[in-house]
Amino acid sequence: MENTKEVLIIKYGEIALRGKNRYIYENMLLDAVRKNLAGHGDFWVHKEQGRFVVEWSHDADFSRAIPQVTCIFGITSVCVAVKLLDHSMESIQAAALEYTQAHCVRPATFRVATKRANKQYPMRSDEASGKIGEYLLNNLDGLKVNLTAPQFTLKIEIRNFAYIYSADVEVKGPGGLPPGSAGKGVLLLSGGIDSPVAGYLAAKRGIGITAVYFHSPPYTSERAKEKVVDLAKRLAHFSGKLRLLVVPFTDIQLKLVDRTPPEKITIMLKRTMLKIAEKVAEKEKALALITGDSVGQVASQTLHSLHAMTGAADLPILRPLACFDKHEIVTIAQKIETFDISIRPYDDCCTLFLPKHPETKPKLSIIQSIEGSIDGMDELIERAITNAEIINF
Ligand code: ATP
Ligand code: MG
């Protein structure tokens, strides 16, 4: 039919998008959708009163677009629909008939559910449902109305254009809040299994991510960095726009190793990472730091060790994995496809010069006094931030 076109309708959580910032968040979500579709075919996306609509040129394969969209937080579902360029009742009835013929296995019970976002439309939703339902009953065999538990639900949405689809073909999205809608956080992203998962969970609550990776060449290899770049790229799939800063850490690390008793080095490194991350947060207007720490996983993550991080940064430190077991973290890492990247065998800087017996109960006061005795650190930190490599995804 000339009047119709196949499209994708994207639905998103309206609750998160209420209030005066609605348009800002809607645009962030729209940006995330456009970013994920780029490079997958000739798709274009437009807003349509509380929905996004994806259209495409003849040679694009829309089934490739669906998984690119259903991974974005804040999206509740995506469905293949028919768009009607003309939304007169006659056109809707004719298209509803064609759609039902093609998609409903009869005999079946059915119902028509109409949503009228366009309040100018000269008919109420229930009236429209009645007229369409009646038309289907008069023109198709094997249909019976059931308003409470139908086998086939035909959805009609009357917006600037009219859309027809079946509730049975909706693909669910991941829920959560739209990318960036909660403000920004700086994620300390190592090449390990945990921190990408922590970033994913933070992004799920709408936190926009700037990631910081501390790189210590030549002790950590170019391959280790590539691994983090690949992880950041994968995270951007869920989080919308993401910036990665690769901060040169060698000079700082060597200085700390030189001045710190070996059993305390990991804590000193972590505190310094938090300090740098906080300075990056200031530049990025971020309101929190995010790490992949999980209580008791290793010596540097005992509750005593986490306590010994106190005062390294003033910003709140979010530790989404604090109370997760390793296997729970691995399950999420596999689901979001960061696991296979994380297990590539390249060292992180924290595993360098690793002491045989790292302290599990470091004392904050002792850590602070060692820190106070190391001079010239502020300059090294400033230089590291200035020389950071920035990669935008
Ligand atoms: P992960 O699997 O995330 O690497 P881990 O179990 O190896 O964590 P640690 O090495 O103790 O644990 O790191 C704890 C957290 O510190 C990491 O989750 C990450 O947030 C941060 N971190 C560690 N090393 C780095 C690094 N080189 N760059 C950025 N952040 C780091
Ligand atoms: Mg690690």
Side-chain angles (χ1 to χ4, degrees):
M1 209 191 281
E2 279 293 299
N3 180 32
T4 62
K5 187 172 196 291
E6 204 165 42
V7 298
L8 294 179
I9 291 188
I10 300 177
K11 300 184 184 181
Y12 43 85
E14 305 214 12
I15 297 162
L17 294 172
R18 287 217 181 106
K20 63 180 178 358
N21 290 329
R22 177 188 172 114
Y23 292 104
I24 301 173
Y25 298 155
E26 236 173 12
N27 286 338
M28 284 174 171
L29 198 55
L30 186 59
D31 275 354
V33 170
R34 287 186 173 138
K35 182 173 80 63
N36 276 20
L37 289 178
H40 290 275
D42 188 13
F43 295 103
W44 58 95
V45 193
H46 57 90
K47 269 204 265 189
E48 158 75 292
Q49 292 175 317
R51 301 271 189 264
F52 300 143
V53 177
V54 184
E55 303 194 24
W56 52 88
S57 60
H58 289 302
D59 50 349
D61 173 5
F62 72 82
S63 65
R64 290 185 60 194
I66 295 174
Q68 296 301 319
V69 175
T70 49
C71 59
I72 300 171
F73 292 123
I75 303 278
T76 50
S77 68
V78 177
C79 53
V80 183
V82 171
K83 173 181 170 182
L84 273 75
L85 303 180
D86 142 34
H87 54 32
S88 66
M89 184 44 67
E90 295 69 42
S91 298
I92 296 177
Q93 285 172 328
L97 179 67
E98 192 174 313
Y99 188 93
T100 308
Q101 234 162 357
H103 294 95
C104 174
V105 181
R106 286 167 290 141
T109 56
F110 87 111
R111 128 184 132 102
V112 178
T114 305
K115 191 168 178 166
R116 184 186 57 146
N118 177 353
K119 299 298 176 205
Q120 312 298 320
Y121 197 74
M123 197 180 284
R124 287 199 327 269
S125 299
D126 53 347
E127 263 178 89
S129 294
K131 285 212 179 307
I132 298 159
E134 195 182 321
Y135 186 81
L136 295 180
L137 283 171
N138 290 338
N139 290 283
L140 280 180
D141 292 330
L143 284 181
K144 205 174 153 206
V145 175
N146 180 337
L147 297 181
T148 46
Q151 289 163 316
F152 181 76
T153 300
L154 187 70
K155 293 212 171 183
I156 315 284
E157 297 197 356
I158 304 174
R159 298 175 181 275
N160 294 324
F161 298 96
Y163 300 89
I164 297 180
Y165 60 96
S166 160
D168 315 303
V169 297
E170 277 183 278
V171 183
K172 290 269 171 266
L177 300 178
S181 61
K184 223 187 232 185
V186 169
L187 169 69
L188 285 83
L189 181 64
S190 72
I193 294 168
D194 305 327
S195 45
V197 175
Y200 169 82
L201 292 176
K204 181 171 181 196
R205 299 309 300 159
I207 300 179
I209 305 282
T210 290
V212 177
Y213 166 59
F214 298 97
H215 188 40
S216 293
Y219 305 102
T220 45
S221 64
E222 203 50 27
R223 292 283 183 81
K225 177 180 138 187
E226 273 167 28
K227 183 172 147 177
V228 177
V229 170
D230 288 349
L231 285 170
K233 191 170 171 189
R234 183 67 200 150
L235 262 186
H237 200 63
F238 307 98
S239 68
K241 276 184 205 148
L242 183 150
R243 175 170 305 140
L244 170 67
L245 273 78
V246 179
V247 176
F249 200 55
T250 317
D251 294 347
I252 293 172
Q253 182 157 9
L254 290 176
K255 182 153 188 155
L256 287 173
V257 167
D258 187 43
R259 302 291 185 85
T260 308
E263 72 281 3
K264 298 189 198 311
I265 184 62
T266 322
I267 299 292
M268 294 292 287
L269 288 170
K270 291 281 170 58
R271 284 182 65 94
T272 313
M273 288 181 186
L274 289 171
K275 281 183 194 174
I276 297 174
E278 186 167 56
K279 287 199 182 291
V280 171
E282 206 175 297
K283 287 191 202 295
E284 293 280 306
K285 298 194 170 55
L287 301 175
L289 307 181
I290 304 150
T291 75
D293 292 312
S294 167
V295 175
Q297 198 186 85
V298 288
S300 60
Q301 296 173 28
T302 61
L303 206 50
H304 288 82
S305 297
L306 295 181
H307 178 257
M309 306 289 168
T310 306
D314 290 330
L315 284 181
I317 301 173
L318 305 185
R319 296 181 169 100
L321 304 178
C323 300
F324 279 50
D325 291 344
K326 192 75 189 187
H327 78 268
E328 293 172 312
I329 301 170
V330 165
T331 302
I332 301 176
Q334 284 167 331
K335 184 181 87 178
I336 65 173
E337 294 176 27
T338 53
F339 184 77
D340 287 344
I341 307 172
S342 293
I343 59 172
R344 291 184 206 156
Y346 308 112
D347 273 349
D348 177 51
C349 64
C350 283
T351 53
L352 295 173
F353 317 111
L354 200 67
K356 276 215 182 68
H357 302 290
E359 205 170 26
T360 55
K361 290 187 177 176
K363 268 200 122 148
L364 178 61
S365 55
I366 299 175
I367 297 288
Q368 281 168 329
S369 78
I370 300 170
E371 219 170 51
S373 73
I374 305 175
D375 50 1
M377 199 44 107
D378 289 348
E379 293 74 30
L380 284 182
I381 287 177
E382 278 310 320
R383 201 189 317 149
I385 294 174
T386 309
N387 292 333
E389 180 188 354
I390 299 175
I391 306 168
N392 289 303
F393 296 97

